[in-house]
Amino acid sequence: DQQVKQNSPSLSVQEGRISILNCDYTNSMFDYFLWYKKYPAEGPTFLISISSIKDKNEDGRFTVFLNKSAKHLSLHIVPSQPGDSAVYFCAASAAGNQFYFGTGTSLTVIP
Amino acid sequence: ETGVTQSPTHLIKTRGQQVTLRCSSQSGHNTVSWYQQALGQGPQFIFQYYREEENGRGNFPPRFSGLQFPNYSSELNVNALELDDSALYLCASTKGGSPSYNEQFFGPGTRLTVL
């Protein structure tokens, strides 16, 4: 049973435009959400997180939005750069226990 | 500061064999988690080790086992390999055991192929 879902396997965006990556979850006990970025032949690296007590968290070009009622979060990258091309995973946890990952979205930023 | 390292990088085994994968945690980290990432899937939590004890386990059978050593490095052992065990195995280290909101640092993974 996939508790965290990323329904878009891939996304292509022009350089300088906004990239929006989406993630849905089913477990209402999740209280902490993260986005990881993965380049080929490397492990995932932490990008940004959000606690369920917030609905937005911003770090430079990256903003994560959380809609608890819809059980939905999104990652916005503005402006998108070619170096942002990677696979993005969202992950969720309940009370800091086991993390559940989505299947990933492959982002391609076209120069 | 040394990051998380894993060995070997790639491994090919046949069904029924046993395999041991190794992970050295980041300096200062006392907790190691193992994940299995099958092709086209996200990482799935196998188990976590904190202070040499298993400290949480995902939905994996007992033939997946592990160890953590006093220097916090860790091994993942898989017995009686099956074709479906073919995957990228990721190790992640952090401070403080579970539950924890501390950031996990991932290694590059070991690609296991079972023929």
Side-chain angles (χ1 to χ4, degrees), chain B residues 79-100:
Chain B
N79 292 322
L81 283 167
E82 300 176 0
L83 297 179
D84 284 349
D85 295 333
S86 295
L88 179 69
Y89 287 85
L90 294 162
C91 162
S93 75
T94 189
K95 293 181 186 178
S98 177
S100 169

PDB file of all heavy atoms in Angstrom, chain B residues 79-100:
ATOM      1  N   ASN B  79      19.760 -13.297   2.987  1.00  0.00           N
ATOM      2  CA  ASN B  79      19.904 -14.734   2.742  1.00  0.00           C
ATOM      3  C   ASN B  79      18.915 -15.208   1.683  1.00  0.00           C
ATOM      4  O   ASN B  79      17.895 -14.544   1.427  1.00  0.00           O
ATOM      5  CB  ASN B  79      19.630 -15.503   4.050  1.00  0.00           C
ATOM      6  CG  ASN B  79      20.689 -15.256   5.085  1.00  0.00           C
ATOM      7  OD1 ASN B  79      21.873 -15.152   4.756  1.00  0.00           O
ATOM      8  ND2 ASN B  79      20.288 -15.136   6.337  1.00  0.00           N
ATOM      9  N   ALA B  80      19.208 -16.347   1.109  1.00  0.00           N
ATOM     10  CA  ALA B  80      18.289 -16.996   0.157  1.00  0.00           C
ATOM     11  C   ALA B  80      17.765 -15.992  -0.865  1.00  0.00           C
ATOM     12  O   ALA B  80      16.551 -15.773  -0.994  1.00  0.00           O
ATOM     13  CB  ALA B  80      17.136 -17.657   0.915  1.00  0.00           C
ATOM     14  N   LEU B  81      18.694 -15.382  -1.594  1.00  0.00           N
ATOM     15  CA  LEU B  81      18.336 -14.317  -2.527  1.00  0.00           C
ATOM     16  C   LEU B  81      17.267 -14.751  -3.527  1.00  0.00           C
ATOM     17  O   LEU B  81      17.286 -15.886  -4.039  1.00  0.00           O
ATOM     18  CB  LEU B  81      19.583 -13.840  -3.272  1.00  0.00           C
ATOM     19  CG  LEU B  81      20.509 -12.921  -2.474  1.00  0.00           C
ATOM     20  CD1 LEU B  81      21.856 -12.784  -3.180  1.00  0.00           C
ATOM     21  CD2 LEU B  81      19.865 -11.558  -2.254  1.00  0.00           C
ATOM     22  N   GLU B  82      16.350 -13.827  -3.792  1.00  0.00           N
ATOM     23  CA  GLU B  82      15.306 -14.032  -4.798  1.00  0.00           C
ATOM     24  C   GLU B  82      15.491 -12.990  -5.908  1.00  0.00           C
ATOM     25  O   GLU B  82      16.133 -11.955  -5.701  1.00  0.00           O
ATOM     26  CB  GLU B  82      13.933 -13.882  -4.147  1.00  0.00           C
ATOM     27  CG  GLU B  82      13.678 -14.862  -3.018  1.00  0.00           C
ATOM     28  CD  GLU B  82      12.345 -14.646  -2.314  1.00  0.00           C
ATOM     29  OE1 GLU B  82      11.601 -13.712  -2.708  1.00  0.00           O
ATOM     30  OE2 GLU B  82      12.046 -15.408  -1.367  1.00  0.00           O
ATOM     31  N   LEU B  83      14.907 -13.293  -7.062  1.00  0.00           N
ATOM     32  CA  LEU B  83      15.044 -12.373  -8.200  1.00  0.00           C
ATOM     33  C   LEU B  83      14.555 -10.968  -7.840  1.00  0.00           C
ATOM     34  O   LEU B  83      15.143  -9.966  -8.257  1.00  0.00           O
ATOM     35  CB  LEU B  83      14.276 -12.899  -9.416  1.00  0.00           C
ATOM     36  CG  LEU B  83      14.756 -14.220  -9.996  1.00  0.00           C
ATOM     37  CD1 LEU B  83      13.883 -14.624 -11.174  1.00  0.00           C
ATOM     38  CD2 LEU B  83      16.213 -14.146 -10.424  1.00  0.00           C
ATOM     39  N   ASP B  84      13.466 -10.895  -7.043  1.00  0.00           N
ATOM     40  CA  ASP B  84      12.885  -9.600  -6.665  1.00  0.00           C
ATOM     41  C   ASP B  84      13.759  -8.791  -5.712  1.00  0.00           C
ATOM     42  O   ASP B  84      13.442  -7.633  -5.416  1.00  0.00           O
ATOM     43  CB  ASP B  84      11.512  -9.801  -6.011  1.00  0.00           C
ATOM     44  CG  ASP B  84      10.444 -10.123  -7.036  1.00  0.00           C
ATOM     45  OD1 ASP B  84      10.743  -9.976  -8.250  1.00  0.00           O
ATOM     46  OD2 ASP B  84       9.339 -10.520  -6.647  1.00  0.00           O
ATOM     47  N   ASP B  85      14.839  -9.400  -5.235  1.00  0.00           N
ATOM     48  CA  ASP B  85      15.758  -8.650  -4.369  1.00  0.00           C
ATOM     49  C   ASP B  85      16.671  -7.742  -5.198  1.00  0.00           C
ATOM     50  O   ASP B  85      17.406  -6.929  -4.625  1.00  0.00           O
ATOM     51  CB  ASP B  85      16.615  -9.605  -3.535  1.00  0.00           C
ATOM     52  CG  ASP B  85      15.790 -10.425  -2.556  1.00  0.00           C
ATOM     53  OD1 ASP B  85      14.704  -9.954  -2.148  1.00  0.00           O
ATOM     54  OD2 ASP B  85      16.226 -11.545  -2.216  1.00  0.00           O
ATOM     55  N   SER B  86      16.632  -7.874  -6.502  1.00  0.00           N
ATOM     56  CA  SER B  86      17.424  -6.997  -7.367  1.00  0.00           C
ATOM     57  C   SER B  86      16.953  -5.565  -7.180  1.00  0.00           C
ATOM     58  O   SER B  86      15.773  -5.246  -7.391  1.00  0.00           O
ATOM     59  CB  SER B  86      17.262  -7.400  -8.835  1.00  0.00           C
ATOM     60  OG  SER B  86      17.784  -8.681  -9.065  1.00  0.00           O
ATOM     61  N   ALA B  87      17.868  -4.702  -6.758  1.00  0.00           N
ATOM     62  CA  ALA B  87      17.490  -3.327  -6.430  1.00  0.00           C
ATOM     63  C   ALA B  87      18.740  -2.535  -6.084  1.00  0.00           C
ATOM     64  O   ALA B  87      19.842  -3.089  -5.983  1.00  0.00           O
ATOM     65  CB  ALA B  87      16.525  -3.298  -5.231  1.00  0.00           C
ATOM     66  N   LEU B  88      18.540  -1.240  -5.868  1.00  0.00           N
ATOM     67  CA  LEU B  88      19.578  -0.380  -5.307  1.00  0.00           C
ATOM     68  C   LEU B  88      19.353  -0.359  -3.800  1.00  0.00           C
ATOM     69  O   LEU B  88      18.239  -0.091  -3.335  1.00  0.00           O
ATOM     70  CB  LEU B  88      19.463   1.025  -5.888  1.00  0.00           C
ATOM     71  CG  LEU B  88      20.476   2.065  -5.387  1.00  0.00           C
ATOM     72  CD1 LEU B  88      21.880   1.733  -5.886  1.00  0.00           C
ATOM     73  CD2 LEU B  88      20.071   3.470  -5.839  1.00  0.00           C
ATOM     74  N   TYR B  89      20.378  -0.667  -3.037  1.00  0.00           N
ATOM     75  CA  TYR B  89      20.274  -0.656  -1.580  1.00  0.00           C
ATOM     76  C   TYR B  89      20.990   0.586  -1.059  1.00  0.00           C
ATOM     77  O   TYR B  89      22.190   0.768  -1.273  1.00  0.00           O
ATOM     78  CB  TYR B  89      20.852  -1.938  -0.984  1.00  0.00           C
ATOM     79  CG  TYR B  89      19.933  -3.105  -1.248  1.00  0.00           C
ATOM     80  CD1 TYR B  89      20.007  -3.801  -2.452  1.00  0.00           C
ATOM     81  CD2 TYR B  89      18.956  -3.477  -0.333  1.00  0.00           C
ATOM     82  CE1 TYR B  89      19.135  -4.834  -2.729  1.00  0.00           C
ATOM     83  CE2 TYR B  89      18.080  -4.516  -0.594  1.00  0.00           C
ATOM     84  CZ  TYR B  89      18.165  -5.189  -1.811  1.00  0.00           C
ATOM     85  OH  TYR B  89      17.296  -6.211  -2.082  1.00  0.00           O
ATOM     86  N   LEU B  90      20.220   1.409  -0.355  1.00  0.00           N
ATOM     87  CA  LEU B  90      20.726   2.670   0.146  1.00  0.00           C
ATOM     88  C   LEU B  90      20.873   2.618   1.652  1.00  0.00           C
ATOM     89  O   LEU B  90      20.031   2.075   2.362  1.00  0.00           O
ATOM     90  CB  LEU B  90      19.758   3.803  -0.202  1.00  0.00           C
ATOM     91  CG  LEU B  90      19.602   4.136  -1.686  1.00  0.00           C
ATOM     92  CD1 LEU B  90      18.338   4.934  -1.926  1.00  0.00           C
ATOM     93  CD2 LEU B  90      20.815   4.895  -2.194  1.00  0.00           C
ATOM     94  N   CYS B  91      21.932   3.224   2.110  1.00  0.00           N
ATOM     95  CA  CYS B  91      22.181   3.355   3.537  1.00  0.00           C
ATOM     96  C   CYS B  91      22.103   4.849   3.862  1.00  0.00           C
ATOM     97  O   CYS B  91      22.549   5.679   3.065  1.00  0.00           O
ATOM     98  CB  CYS B  91      23.574   2.786   3.820  1.00  0.00           C
ATOM     99  SG  CYS B  91      24.305   3.265   5.360  1.00  0.00           S
ATOM    100  N   ALA B  92      21.517   5.184   4.999  1.00  0.00           N
ATOM    101  CA  ALA B  92      21.422   6.586   5.407  1.00  0.00           C
ATOM    102  C   ALA B  92      21.819   6.691   6.869  1.00  0.00           C
ATOM    103  O   ALA B  92      21.424   5.839   7.681  1.00  0.00           O
ATOM    104  CB  ALA B  92      20.009   7.117   5.218  1.00  0.00           C
ATOM    105  N   SER B  93      22.585   7.714   7.207  1.00  0.00           N
ATOM    106  CA  SER B  93      22.959   7.879   8.599  1.00  0.00           C
ATOM    107  C   SER B  93      22.407   9.183   9.146  1.00  0.00           C
ATOM    108  O   SER B  93      22.154  10.146   8.414  1.00  0.00           O
ATOM    109  CB  SER B  93      24.483   7.812   8.775  1.00  0.00           C
ATOM    110  OG  SER B  93      25.129   8.986   8.331  1.00  0.00           O
ATOM    111  N   THR B  94      22.216   9.196  10.455  1.00  0.00           N
ATOM    112  CA  THR B  94      21.719  10.379  11.137  1.00  0.00           C
ATOM    113  C   THR B  94      22.153  10.295  12.591  1.00  0.00           C
ATOM    114  O   THR B  94      22.764   9.316  13.019  1.00  0.00           O
ATOM    115  CB  THR B  94      20.180  10.471  11.006  1.00  0.00           C
ATOM    116  OG1 THR B  94      19.741  11.734  11.506  1.00  0.00           O
ATOM    117  CG2 THR B  94      19.486   9.379  11.779  1.00  0.00           C
ATOM    118  N   LYS B  95      21.814  11.320  13.347  1.00  0.00           N
ATOM    119  CA  LYS B  95      22.098  11.306  14.775  1.00  0.00           C
ATOM    120  C   LYS B  95      20.825  10.972  15.533  1.00  0.00           C
ATOM    121  O   LYS B  95      19.743  11.406  15.159  1.00  0.00           O
ATOM    122  CB  LYS B  95      22.579  12.694  15.222  1.00  0.00           C
ATOM    123  CG  LYS B  95      23.905  13.121  14.665  1.00  0.00           C
ATOM    124  CD  LYS B  95      24.271  14.499  15.213  1.00  0.00           C
ATOM    125  CE  LYS B  95      25.532  15.021  14.562  1.00  0.00           C
ATOM    126  NZ  LYS B  95      25.874  16.371  15.051  1.00  0.00           N
ATOM    127  N   GLY B  96      20.953  10.218  16.611  1.00  0.00           N
ATOM    128  CA  GLY B  96      19.901  10.239  17.608  1.00  0.00           C
ATOM    129  C   GLY B  96      18.837   9.188  17.573  1.00  0.00           C
ATOM    130  O   GLY B  96      17.880   9.272  18.304  1.00  0.00           O
ATOM    131  N   GLY B  97      18.970   8.155  16.736  1.00  0.00           N
ATOM    132  CA  GLY B  97      17.982   7.089  16.799  1.00  0.00           C
ATOM    133  C   GLY B  97      16.615   7.515  16.290  1.00  0.00           C
ATOM    134  O   GLY B  97      16.474   8.501  15.599  1.00  0.00           O
ATOM    135  N   SER B  98      15.620   6.730  16.631  1.00  0.00           N
ATOM    136  CA  SER B  98      14.254   6.987  16.176  1.00  0.00           C
ATOM    137  C   SER B  98      13.333   6.959  17.380  1.00  0.00           C
ATOM    138  O   SER B  98      13.499   6.121  18.246  1.00  0.00           O
ATOM    139  CB  SER B  98      13.846   5.934  15.153  1.00  0.00           C
ATOM    140  OG  SER B  98      12.505   6.109  14.748  1.00  0.00           O
ATOM    141  N   PRO B  99      12.341   7.783  17.513  1.00  0.00           N
ATOM    142  CA  PRO B  99      11.944   8.733  16.468  1.00  0.00           C
ATOM    143  C   PRO B  99      12.855   9.952  16.416  1.00  0.00           C
ATOM    144  O   PRO B  99      13.405  10.377  17.405  1.00  0.00           O
ATOM    145  CB  PRO B  99      10.533   9.135  16.888  1.00  0.00           C
ATOM    146  CG  PRO B  99      10.509   8.930  18.363  1.00  0.00           C
ATOM    147  CD  PRO B  99      11.409   7.776  18.638  1.00  0.00           C
ATOM    148  N   SER B 100      13.007  10.468  15.216  1.00  0.00           N
ATOM    149  CA  SER B 100      13.873  11.618  15.037  1.00  0.00           C
ATOM    150  C   SER B 100      13.472  12.366  13.784  1.00  0.00           C
ATOM    151  O   SER B 100      13.124  11.757  12.775  1.00  0.00           O
ATOM    152  CB  SER B 100      15.328  11.166  14.919  1.00  0.00           C
ATOM    153  OG  SER B 100      16.149  12.227  14.505  1.00  0.00           O
TER     154      SER B 100
END
